[in-house]
Amino acid sequence: MIRVTVWNENIHDQKDEVKAVYPLGIHGTIAAFLSKDPELEVRTATLDQPACGLPDDVLQNTDVLFWWGHIAHGKVPDELAVKAADRVRQGMGLVMLHSGHESKLFKMLMGTTCSLRWRDPDFERLWCIDPSHPLTSGVPAMFELPVEEMYGEAFDIPHPDSVVYGGWFRGGELFRSVCTFTRGAGKIVYFQPGHETFPTYHNEHVQTILTNAAHFTAPVRYRTTLGCFHSEMTTEERYEKGIPFDMMY
Ligand code: ZN
C-alpha cells in the first residue's frame, strides 16, 4: 500500500462559492478519488489541526504528500517546511498542486522564486509532451479544462526532469503545467490546474494524472545498511521477482 496524505490549508474551502464546487473540501475531494485506487491508503490533513496537520509521526508515515495552499503559505512554520523537504530528499513523494508553487516547501526544494505570469481565468488546453511518462497512462494526448486560471511562462523553476504536459491558454500563453523533479531519493510532481472555484479536481483526466502521480512519486523501498530508508525487498529479492534494475534506486 502507498500511504498518501492530502494536505490542504483549508481556508478557501470555508467559503460558499468553494463549498458549492467542493462540498468535501479540496482535500476531501482529492482523497475521495485517490481512494478508489485499492493500492492507495489515503488520509487528509489540514493547517488548522495540531502541528498544522503534519506532526512528525504523520510525516514519517507518509509515502506521498499532496499539497494545496494559497493564502496561508506564511502560516506554515519554517521548521515544518524544512522537515517536509527533508522527508522528500529521503524518498517521500510530493505532488505540489496549483498555487502551491509559492509554498515554502516548494520554493525550498526548487531553490528559485517559482514566480510566474498570471491573469484572470481562461480556458486551458493541456498537451502531452512526454507520452512515455507514467503520469500519462490512460490520459488522451490532449484534453481541455473549460475554465482554469492562466499561469504563464516564464515560470522561475530549475529545468524539470520532464515536462509532461504543456498548458495553452486562449491569450496564446504557454506554461509547463505538469512537470517533474528529483531531489535526493524523492520524486516531485508540480501540477498547475486546480483553482479553488473551478471543478478541475472533478475532471476525469485530472483525476487519472493525480492517481498516476501517487504511484510515480511513491518511494522505492529497499534494504540498506545506511538505514536511511525503510525497506521491504532486497536487491536479490527484486531479481527473483523480475523487477527491473532501473526500478531500484
Ligand atoms: Zn488559484
Side-chain angles (χ1 to χ4, degrees), residues 91-109:
M92 180 180 76
L94 175 66
V95 181
M96 187 54 72
L97 300 164
H98 188 57
S99 40
H101 70 94
E102 288 211 320
S103 65
K104 290 179 183 176
L105 175 57
F106 192 62
K107 290 198 285 191
M108 201 173 279
L109 287 164

Side-chain angles (χ1 to χ4, degrees), residues 102-237:
E102 288 211 320
S103 65
K104 290 179 183 176
L105 175 57
F106 192 62
K107 290 198 285 191
M108 201 173 279
L109 287 164
M110 295 298 108
T112 56
T113 68
C114 301
S115 64
L116 46 79
R117 191 180 304 273
W118 179 92
R119 71 172 165 76
D120 283 336
D122 194 350
F123 155 96
E124 181 173 7
R125 180 173 289 151
L126 289 117
W127 290 95
C128 178
I129 292 174
D130 185 354
S132 70
H133 199 284
L135 286 182
T136 69
S137 180
V139 184
M142 184 277 286
F143 66 98
E144 297 174 345
L145 298 172
V147 60
E148 186 49 79
E149 263 181 338
M150 197 294 291
Y151 279 18
E153 299 287 345
F155 186 17
D156 183 24
I157 48 172
H159 290 297
D161 293 344
S162 175
V163 178
V164 186
Y165 286 90
W168 175 90
F169 299 84
R170 219 187 312 257
E173 299 94 342
L174 300 171
F175 195 63
R176 288 169 286 177
S177 294
V178 183
C179 46
T180 68
F181 305 88
T182 311
R183 292 292 181 272
K187 298 192 230 36
I188 300 167
V189 170
Y190 173 73
F191 188 86
Q192 167 260 322
H195 185 69
E196 66 270 11
T197 53
F198 306 140
T200 298
Y201 297 117
H202 297 299
N203 179 285
E204 61 172 316
H205 305 309
V206 167
Q207 294 186 358
T208 301
I209 293 171
L210 293 178
T211 303
N212 292 341
H215 287 269
F216 169 69
T217 60
V220 176
R221 298 188 173 99
Y222 69 104
R223 211 167 283 162
T224 169
T225 53
L226 295 174
C228 298
F229 311 106
H230 63 278
S231 63
E232 292 178 345
M233 222 181 279
T234 62
T235 303
E236 291 74 18
E237 286 164 345

